[in-house]
Amino acid sequence: MQGKKITELESRYVMQTYGRLPVVFVSGKGSYLTDVDGKRYLDFVSGIAVNALGHCHPAITAAIADQASRLVHTSNIYFTEPQVLVAEKLVQMSGLDRVFFCNSGAEANEAAIKLARKRAAAVLGEERYEIITAYKSFHGRTMATLTATGQSKYQAGFQPLLKGFRYAVFNDLPSFISQAGDKTCAIMLEPVQGEGGVHPADIEFLQGLRRFCDDNNLLLIFDEVQSGLGRTGHNFAWEHYDVKPDIMTLAKALGGGLPIGAMLAEEEVAGVFAPGDHASTFGGNPVACAAAFAFLRVLEEEAILSNVCKMSAYMQDGLLGLSQTLPDHVDSFRGLGLMLALELKLPSARAVVAECLKMGLLLNSVSDTTIRFLPPLNVSATEINEALDILKVALQGHD
Ligand SMILES: Cc1ncc(COP(=O)(O)O)c(C=O)c1O
């Protein structure tokens, strides 16, 4: 089908909830995507941190094909092997004890919220249901996770929101402490805020939150949907801080491109969920889990984390060079691992992203002035050079 026909059908039949860029993709290999006209693009968006090993990694493609040829789905009222393999691997990687599987980041956070409330009801008392989250956070689009998301722009038009959420300032421990009271049961946040503009937590802040939660019998929930699974150079971003959560959520990269989410918890907390308390028809689906297991094996066996650390340093050197060469265009850069952002002095990051698209580079803006980079975790120095060269030309074209 022609690209024009596809965009016409989309505008006619699909609910218009996305502001899409004008490109139709048909295939991908490694760090590159190809559009319907055969043009290649270097992908530094990675499906917003999903395609962590690039497109169509052979191990993931083979795992999906193999599992799809044997068993695609059964209900969670039965057992399947891929699900337990992924659960075992995630537990080994995280040091947490049990996993609940679902299909997305929002669902993983929804499960975390439910578990925190159930645990509070069981251990602390029915009136302890409040969860404190951070301003500028992003936790998803279901009603509970939308309420948890501390950004009014996502909530507008969807009131009334869920009861039981309070907000505090990210990286401001006194702000969190001031929001805690006799109804609080948990604190939930991203160790590196992603959609809020790529802001890593400060070490004193996260360590202080851990101490505060321990002292007050509150759960610390980390949303690692975007920052987890190698993105920052550790399996989980919290390892940079030596601060282990009681509950952690994952999704995005986990399925190597297939939809899967996971909520992990330590034994004492996980144990408050009894059969029937929570469920998902598709959660832990055999094909999604086969893809996830293949992804986790590659993450471990192909030294992906050390590549992330090396390429992060390399890319930050490049971004520093860019900010020195174009001081009127670039303000600063920030981030952790391969979750990086460039702060512009120009009014429209969106215009720069559009220019890069024309030149065959996919980037994404997270605010009017912020460009986000989420390259594949196995990206090469040559690909980073290519991306920075294109970005430089795009920036120079915008005064
Ligand atoms: C930190 C974080 N949590 C949750 C979500 C929601 O994930 P999903 O879109 O899979 O529901 C996202 C998505 O961007 C995210 O970045």
Short mmCIF file of all heavy atoms in Angstrom, two decimals, residues 48 103-107 109 138-141 190 192 194-195 223-227 249 251-252 372, ligand 1:
data_model
loop_
_atom_site.label_atom_id
_atom_site.label_comp_id
_atom_site.label_asym_id
_atom_site.label_seq_id
_atom_site.Cartn_x
_atom_site.Cartn_y
_atom_site.Cartn_z
N ILE A 48 10.47 4.73 21.64
CA ILE A 48 10.50 5.29 23.01
C ILE A 48 10.97 4.22 24.01
O ILE A 48 10.23 3.78 24.89
CB ILE A 48 9.17 5.95 23.42
CG1 ILE A 48 8.67 6.84 22.26
CG2 ILE A 48 9.35 6.77 24.71
CD1 ILE A 48 7.55 7.77 22.57
N ASN A 103 0.78 -6.22 30.48
CA ASN A 103 1.06 -5.96 29.06
C ASN A 103 1.63 -4.59 28.74
O ASN A 103 1.88 -4.30 27.57
CB ASN A 103 -0.23 -6.13 28.26
CG ASN A 103 -0.97 -7.37 28.67
OD1 ASN A 103 -0.55 -8.47 28.33
ND2 ASN A 103 -2.03 -7.21 29.42
N SER A 104 1.80 -3.74 29.73
CA SER A 104 2.26 -2.38 29.44
C SER A 104 2.79 -1.75 30.73
O SER A 104 2.60 -2.28 31.83
CB SER A 104 1.10 -1.52 28.93
OG SER A 104 0.15 -1.36 29.96
N GLY A 105 3.38 -0.56 30.55
CA GLY A 105 3.90 0.16 31.70
C GLY A 105 2.79 0.63 32.62
O GLY A 105 2.90 0.53 33.86
N ALA A 106 1.73 1.17 32.03
CA ALA A 106 0.62 1.66 32.84
C ALA A 106 0.04 0.52 33.68
O ALA A 106 -0.25 0.69 34.87
CB ALA A 106 -0.46 2.26 31.95
N GLU A 107 -0.12 -0.64 33.06
CA GLU A 107 -0.68 -1.79 33.80
C GLU A 107 0.26 -2.25 34.92
O GLU A 107 -0.20 -2.69 35.98
CB GLU A 107 -0.92 -2.95 32.86
CG GLU A 107 -2.16 -2.81 32.02
CD GLU A 107 -2.25 -3.99 31.07
OE1 GLU A 107 -2.55 -5.11 31.50
OE2 GLU A 107 -1.99 -3.78 29.88
N ASN A 109 2.25 -0.30 36.59
CA ASN A 109 2.10 0.68 37.66
C ASN A 109 0.74 0.54 38.36
O ASN A 109 0.64 0.71 39.57
CB ASN A 109 2.27 2.10 37.11
CG ASN A 109 3.73 2.37 36.77
OD1 ASN A 109 4.62 1.81 37.40
ND2 ASN A 109 3.96 3.21 35.79
N PHE A 138 5.76 10.65 35.01
CA PHE A 138 4.84 10.02 34.05
C PHE A 138 4.72 8.55 34.41
O PHE A 138 5.70 7.82 34.42
CB PHE A 138 5.33 10.17 32.60
CG PHE A 138 4.30 9.69 31.63
CD1 PHE A 138 3.28 10.54 31.20
CD2 PHE A 138 4.29 8.38 31.17
CE1 PHE A 138 2.30 10.09 30.32
CE2 PHE A 138 3.31 7.92 30.32
CZ PHE A 138 2.31 8.78 29.88
N HIS A 139 3.48 8.12 34.69
CA HIS A 139 3.28 6.73 35.08
C HIS A 139 2.27 5.99 34.22
O HIS A 139 2.04 4.80 34.45
CB HIS A 139 2.88 6.66 36.56
CG HIS A 139 3.93 7.20 37.49
ND1 HIS A 139 5.17 6.61 37.63
CD2 HIS A 139 3.95 8.29 38.29
CE1 HIS A 139 5.91 7.32 38.50
NE2 HIS A 139 5.19 8.33 38.90
N GLY A 140 1.65 6.68 33.25
CA GLY A 140 0.73 5.98 32.36
C GLY A 140 -0.58 6.71 32.18
O GLY A 140 -0.76 7.83 32.68
N ARG A 141 -1.50 6.08 31.45
CA ARG A 141 -2.73 6.76 31.03
C ARG A 141 -4.01 6.13 31.56
O ARG A 141 -5.10 6.56 31.17
CB ARG A 141 -2.81 6.75 29.50
CG ARG A 141 -1.59 7.31 28.80
CD ARG A 141 -1.54 8.80 28.84
NE ARG A 141 -0.60 9.30 27.86
CZ ARG A 141 -0.74 10.45 27.21
NH1 ARG A 141 -1.76 11.23 27.44
NH2 ARG A 141 0.18 10.84 26.35
N GLU A 190 10.00 7.70 39.36
CA GLU A 190 10.97 7.23 38.37
C GLU A 190 12.36 7.66 38.84
O GLU A 190 12.57 8.85 39.08
CB GLU A 190 10.72 7.91 37.01
CG GLU A 190 9.38 7.67 36.38
CD GLU A 190 8.98 8.86 35.50
OE1 GLU A 190 9.34 8.87 34.31
OE2 GLU A 190 8.32 9.78 36.00
N VAL A 192 14.87 8.03 37.03
CA VAL A 192 15.19 9.05 36.03
C VAL A 192 13.86 9.42 35.37
O VAL A 192 13.26 8.58 34.69
CB VAL A 192 16.17 8.53 34.94
CG1 VAL A 192 16.54 9.67 33.98
CG2 VAL A 192 17.41 7.91 35.55
N GLY A 194 11.52 10.40 32.69
CA GLY A 194 11.67 10.31 31.24
C GLY A 194 10.83 11.34 30.51
O GLY A 194 11.34 12.33 30.00
N GLU A 195 9.50 11.12 30.51
CA GLU A 195 8.62 12.02 29.77
C GLU A 195 8.68 13.44 30.34
O GLU A 195 8.42 14.41 29.64
CB GLU A 195 7.17 11.51 29.81
CG GLU A 195 6.98 10.11 29.25
CD GLU A 195 7.58 9.94 27.88
OE1 GLU A 195 7.13 10.60 26.93
OE2 GLU A 195 8.53 9.14 27.76
N ASP A 223 9.29 3.23 39.39
CA ASP A 223 8.81 3.01 38.02
C ASP A 223 10.03 3.01 37.12
O ASP A 223 10.58 4.06 36.79
CB ASP A 223 7.83 4.14 37.66
CG ASP A 223 7.35 4.05 36.22
OD1 ASP A 223 7.94 3.31 35.42
OD2 ASP A 223 6.37 4.75 35.89
N GLU A 224 10.46 1.81 36.71
CA GLU A 224 11.62 1.66 35.83
C GLU A 224 11.17 1.27 34.43
O GLU A 224 11.90 0.62 33.68
CB GLU A 224 12.57 0.60 36.40
CG GLU A 224 13.26 1.02 37.69
CD GLU A 224 14.72 1.44 37.49
OE1 GLU A 224 15.17 1.58 36.34
OE2 GLU A 224 15.40 1.64 38.52
N VAL A 225 9.95 1.67 34.10
CA VAL A 225 9.40 1.32 32.79
C VAL A 225 10.29 1.84 31.66
O VAL A 225 10.54 1.14 30.68
CB VAL A 225 7.95 1.87 32.67
CG1 VAL A 225 7.45 1.85 31.24
CG2 VAL A 225 7.01 1.06 33.57
N GLN A 226 10.79 3.07 31.82
CA GLN A 226 11.66 3.64 30.79
C GLN A 226 13.15 3.49 31.14
O GLN A 226 13.97 3.22 30.27
CB GLN A 226 11.32 5.12 30.59
CG GLN A 226 12.01 5.74 29.41
CD GLN A 226 11.41 7.08 28.98
OE1 GLN A 226 12.12 7.93 28.48
NE2 GLN A 226 10.12 7.27 29.12
N SER A 227 13.48 3.64 32.41
CA SER A 227 14.89 3.68 32.81
C SER A 227 15.49 2.28 33.04
O SER A 227 16.70 2.14 33.14
CB SER A 227 15.05 4.51 34.09
OG SER A 227 14.27 3.95 35.14
N THR A 249 8.50 -1.51 38.73
CA THR A 249 7.73 -1.82 37.52
C THR A 249 8.60 -1.73 36.28
O THR A 249 9.49 -0.88 36.19
CB THR A 249 6.52 -0.87 37.37
OG1 THR A 249 7.00 0.48 37.38
CG2 THR A 249 5.53 -1.08 38.50
N ALA A 251 8.50 -2.42 31.72
CA ALA A 251 7.73 -2.70 30.49
C ALA A 251 8.66 -2.36 29.33
O ALA A 251 9.80 -2.82 29.31
CB ALA A 251 6.43 -1.90 30.44
N LYS A 252 8.20 -1.56 28.41
CA LYS A 252 8.98 -1.06 27.27
C LYS A 252 9.99 -2.07 26.71
O LYS A 252 9.63 -2.89 25.91
CB LYS A 252 9.65 0.26 27.64
CG LYS A 252 8.62 1.42 27.72
CD LYS A 252 9.31 2.75 27.71
CE LYS A 252 8.33 3.92 27.83
NZ LYS A 252 7.68 4.27 26.59
N ARG A 372 15.20 14.53 23.19
CA ARG A 372 15.57 13.31 23.93
C ARG A 372 16.22 12.30 22.99
O ARG A 372 15.78 12.13 21.86
CB ARG A 372 14.32 12.71 24.57
CG ARG A 372 14.58 11.35 25.21
CD ARG A 372 13.40 10.86 26.01
NE ARG A 372 12.14 10.86 25.27
CZ ARG A 372 10.99 10.38 25.76
NH1 ARG A 372 10.96 9.88 26.98
NH2 ARG A 372 9.89 10.43 25.04
C1 LIG B 1 8.23 5.89 33.31
C2 LIG B 1 7.02 5.43 32.56
N1 LIG B 1 6.05 4.78 33.22
C3 LIG B 1 4.96 4.33 32.59
C4 LIG B 1 4.78 4.53 31.25
C5 LIG B 1 3.54 4.00 30.57
O1 LIG B 1 3.86 2.91 29.80
P1 LIG B 1 2.82 2.35 28.71
O2 LIG B 1 2.73 3.36 27.62
O3 LIG B 1 3.46 1.06 28.26
O4 LIG B 1 1.53 2.13 29.41
C6 LIG B 1 5.77 5.20 30.52
C7 LIG B 1 5.60 5.45 29.08
O5 LIG B 1 6.21 6.29 28.48
C8 LIG B 1 6.91 5.67 31.18
O6 LIG B 1 7.88 6.32 30.54
#
